[in-house]
Amino acid sequence: MAKEDEKKESSGEWKEFFWNPRTHELLGRTASSWGLILLFYLVFYTFLAGMFCLTMYVMLLTLDDYKPTWQDRLASPGVMIRPKGEALEIIYNKENTESWDKYVQALDNFLTPYSNPKQVMSNDECTPDQYFYQEDSGDVRNNPKRSCQFNRTLLGDCSGINDRTYGYQSGKPCVLIKLNRVIGMLPNNYGQSPNVTCGAKKEDSDSVGEIAYYPTDGAFNLMYYPYYGKKAQVNYSQPLVAVKFLNITLNTDVNVECKINSNTTQFSERDKFAGRVSFKLRVNTI
């Protein structure tokens, strides 16, 4: 009986704590007490939300729609290839159309904006070997800014015009090199346009064979710089350099590294894409 009395007493205490009919308290607080607590938290979180909105508003006032407010000075821009394949590996069998057709399709899609009619319609013929400055007049923006033509015919045998397979069918594949876009960057090579040189890494030095560059100097002409941003320079076409491997050793993995030759380029072991790019190329016949 004692245990049953204790259970009833404990149950009664919990019921009274949840709702006390004598004092009209819910969970130990009266309605006015709960109202004051809810009002406090409503004011508190409204204040926090207002502070957050005000902070975001002030921060947005410091941003520019056309260029970054704060921008690190890059010693070396990133470099990438097309087609890039999986894990920067281009591996195919020249006797098997399906194995290299994906690379051809990727190059076709990438070079579509570089067709001569589109470039003539959208961009200007610029003076080569000098920067194409388009400064603003004080607070008056000179937008949209013009862009220089880069016609795919400059890529010669790697343009996909005369050879629709970009050399993949014949075992002489083309790889396109491009610099990442960096607003305001002025690359140069002691007053000249920076250029690309590619070669095999030490262990594969005998396997890479002869390499041809298009344009023939393998350069990113100065007239395509500086870049003013996607919003200011809507029709900007990145300059490209095509690399064609003329007699690469077949059925062999060849590790290729392409570097940008520029007096502003600094290579870092921490970032393998800073001023250079490495990829594996293998052309099979069996």
Side-chain angles (χ1 to χ4, degrees):
M1 293 294 293
K3 289 183 178 181
E4 290 181 0
D5 292 339
E6 289 179 2
K7 289 181 179 180
K8 290 181 180 179
E9 184 178 348
S10 176
S11 176
E13 289 177 356
W14 277 105
K15 289 180 179 179
E16 189 172 314
F17 173 74
F18 184 78
W19 171 249
N20 191 326
R22 292 179 292 101
T23 59
H24 299 286
E25 292 181 347
L26 177 67
L27 298 177
R29 293 185 180 275
T30 61
S32 59
S33 177
W34 279 113
L36 290 174
I37 289 177
L38 293 175
L39 179 62
F40 168 79
Y41 281 107
L42 177 63
V43 173
F44 177 69
Y45 284 112
T46 300
F47 174 76
L48 288 182
M51 286 292 295
F52 175 77
C53 293
L54 178 62
T55 303
M56 291 296 295
Y57 175 73
V58 173
M59 184 190 70
L60 290 174
L61 289 178
T62 66
L63 300 181
D64 192 308
D65 290 338
Y66 294 93
K67 63 180 180 179
T69 304
W70 305 105
Q71 183 176 2
D72 291 337
R73 180 175 296 177
L74 296 178
S76 305
V79 184
M80 188 47 64
I81 64 170
R82 290 293 186 275
K84 59 183 179 180
E86 296 182 5
L88 294 181
E89 295 181 351
I90 301 175
I91 302 174
Y92 73 96
N93 189 322
K94 72 174 188 174
E95 308 297 339
N96 182 359
T97 303
E98 292 183 358
S99 69
W100 50 259
D101 185 62
K102 59 184 178 182
Y103 300 124
V104 172
Q105 293 297 325
L107 289 173
D108 279 339
N109 294 335
F110 181 73
L111 290 176
T112 296
Y114 291 91
S115 64
N116 288 21
K118 290 186 178 181
Q119 289 293 313
V120 170
M121 183 182 302
S122 303
N123 296 334
D124 298 347
E125 287 190 27
C126 301
T127 304
D129 302 322
Q130 66 181 42
Y131 294 125
F132 186 33
Y133 290 109
Q134 302 175 77
E135 300 296 343
D136 297 328
S137 300
D139 294 333
V140 180
R141 295 187 182 276
N142 178 24
N143 292 328
K145 300 185 186 298
R146 295 172 294 157
S147 301
C148 298
Q149 294 180 18
F150 189 95
N151 298 319
R152 65 189 298 175
T153 51
L154 293 172
L155 300 177
D157 291 343
C158 292
S159 65
I161 296 175
N162 297 324
D163 180 1
R164 299 295 300 172
T165 68
Y166 302 92
Y168 282 81
Q169 186 176 28
S170 60
K172 300 177 181 180
C174 291
V175 177
L176 304 182
I177 311 293
K178 72 181 188 72
L179 293 177
N180 290 347
R181 301 183 184 189
V182 180
I183 294 177
M185 183 180 69
L186 297 171
N188 70 86
N189 189 20
Y190 300 99
Q192 304 297 318
S193 299
N195 68 309
V196 175
T197 53
C198 297
K201 294 188 176 180
K202 293 181 179 179
E203 63 272 18
D204 300 322
S205 58
D206 297 330
S207 303
V208 70
E210 185 181 356
I211 298 176
Y213 298 91
Y214 306 96
T216 53
D217 57 356
F220 297 101
N221 201 283
L222 298 180
M223 66 180 177
Y224 299 104
Y225 303 97
Y227 171 59
Y228 289 97
K230 187 175 182 180
K231 191 169 184 178
Q233 226 169 346
V234 179
N235 296 319
Y236 181 76
S237 297
Q238 288 176 271
L240 307 171
V241 171
V243 181
K244 188 177 182 68
F245 298 88
L246 300 177
N247 53 354
I248 191 170
T249 302
L250 303 176
N251 305 309
T252 303
D253 288 344
V254 181
N255 293 295
V256 181
E257 182 177 74
C258 294
K259 296 182 179 180
I260 306 301
N261 300 308
S262 168
N263 62 301
T264 59
T265 300
Q266 297 179 8
F267 301 110
S268 171
E269 294 302 324
R270 295 182 178 180
D271 187 355
K272 64 179 181 179
F273 297 109
R276 61 185 174 183
V277 62
S278 299
F279 58 95
K280 183 167 76 174
L281 180 60
R282 182 185 179 98
V283 182
N284 293 324
T285 58
I286 53 176

